[in-house]
Amino acid sequence: MGASQPGHTHDASEQIWYATKGSGKLLLADDQEKEFKAGDVVRFADKDVHGLLNDGNTEFVYVSVTAPPINFGYAYEEKR
């Protein structure tokens, strides 16, 4: 439904994403995109470019596991 998470990296953590509902596109290095839909699992090593675009017309839900953990509080702080 139009939401996106721009491509980004993590210096010292890997992530595993498990899509549970809907579909979208993974935003990868070199402007590559790959379909990502309910039931799919993807792993990003540290420093891998990754992001997501919900280009469908339904809600997209996924579970993200980050190891070692990162404090993502900065991403939710109010922009000034």
Side-chain angles (χ1 to χ4, degrees):
M1 297 192 325
S4 68
Q5 180 184 92
H8 61 283
T9 63
H10 303 286
D11 288 335
S13 292
E14 68 174 312
Q15 283 192 321
I16 296 172
W17 289 359
Y18 170 56
T20 62
K21 180 179 179 182
S23 65
K25 289 187 178 150
L26 295 172
L27 306 176
L28 306 170
D30 301 321
D31 294 322
Q32 293 184 47
E33 296 180 350
K34 183 177 179 183
E35 183 179 353
F36 189 51
K37 63 185 182 317
D40 289 348
V41 176
V42 66
R43 176 189 174 267
F44 304 105
D46 58 335
K47 298 182 178 66
D48 282 352
V49 175
H50 59 286
L52 182 76
L53 170 65
N54 179 352
D55 61 350
N57 57 4
T58 62
E59 180 180 41
F60 182 82
V61 178
Y62 69 101
V63 175
S64 175
V65 177
T66 305
I70 297 174
N71 179 349
F72 288 103
Y74 70 90
Y76 300 99
E77 291 177 357
E78 184 177 327
K79 306 276 189 240
R80 294 177 192 237

